[in-house]
Amino acid sequence: MRLLPHPATEDIELTEVLRALSDPVRLEIVARLAARGELTCGTVGDELGVHKSTASHHFKALRDSGLVFTKQEGRLKYMSLRRADLEARFPGLLESILSAARPHAGSHG
Amino acid sequence: MRLLPHPATEDIELTEVLRALSDPVRLEIVARLAARGELTCGTVGDELGVHKSTASHHFKALRDSGLVFTKQEGRLKYMSLRRADLEARFPGLLESILSAARPHAGSHG
DNA sequence: CGCATTGTTTGACAACGATCAAACTATGCG
DNA sequence: CGCATAGTTTGATCGTTGTCAAACAATGCG
């Protein structure tokens, strides 16, 4: 089982992408993927303070929406952003969301 | 009651905007607002085939998220996109979503 | 005020979703 | 095979949400 089901680029739906990113935990996961390239389920659970089954659930949601790609290597599964596919499907969308997700310098909290 | 509560520009939250837009009905409302400038509750209910209370519910969700502004004129309430506020808060975000929401010429269905 | 129009609120219902915990699967090591 | 590691699945909770319908409220007209 080295390959998991991923939606084809042309089958990625906007509402599903937006829905996937509307959860704060998943948005944070995506932000970290953008910054660090790859993450495992365990890393996310550990760093974000959620149970590993919850992390798995979120990764599945992200995978199903077309946002992330899952690659298996040994016992680990590495998730990465499907940047090129998303850019092809919805130009500029991911970048503007990532930019919006970055903490603002203007201090407001 | 001519003024309704709207979040300040700096209080608009990304996850709430994305969540508001993750519903197909609301995304369609926003797309129409972008194309036509203003809409009333009744118009949306009529054109999108949802009950007027459902349309009202969606407009409230869009208002609470910071996506639309509501202006009362006589018995009608006109909703419009808060384009400038959203651009100030999350540059490029709304435009990329609107662009992604437009039907693609490439035919895929 | 009475009446029509427009939108909101409430109630009911079904579906979904986020979370944790525990059981299970899959993989690698020896 | 036995054992450890890494994720997944299932079950249980609890809250949220999309929808309609009916009651309500607000507005304008005369």
Side-chain angles (χ1 to χ4, degrees), chain A residues 14-24 26-28 30 67 93-94 96-101, chain B residues 12-24 26-27 30 61-62 65-67 86 90 93-94 96-97:
Chain A
L14 178 58
T15 50
E16 292 184 16
V17 168
L18 298 179
R19 206 181 118 30
L21 293 174
S22 71
D23 180 272
R26 283 194 293 264
L27 185 61
E28 178 64 27
V30 167
L67 272 162
L93 180 67
L94 183 59
S96 65
I97 292 177
L98 288 173
S99 164
Chain B
I12 298 177
E13 288 198 28
L14 178 58
T15 50
E16 293 184 17
V17 168
L18 298 179
R19 217 194 99 31
L21 293 174
S22 71
D23 179 273
R26 284 194 293 265
L27 184 61
V30 166
L62 289 169
S65 76
L67 271 162
L86 288 160
F90 303 125
L93 179 66
L94 183 59
S96 66
I97 292 176

Side-chain angles (χ1 to χ4, degrees), chain A residues 1-2 19 23 26 51 53-54 57-58 72 74-75:
Chain A
M1 193 245 267
R2 283 211 159 72
R19 206 181 118 30
D23 180 272
R26 283 194 293 264
H51 197 277
S53 61
T54 302
H57 162 73
H58 285 312
Q72 181 149 8
R75 271 166 302 184

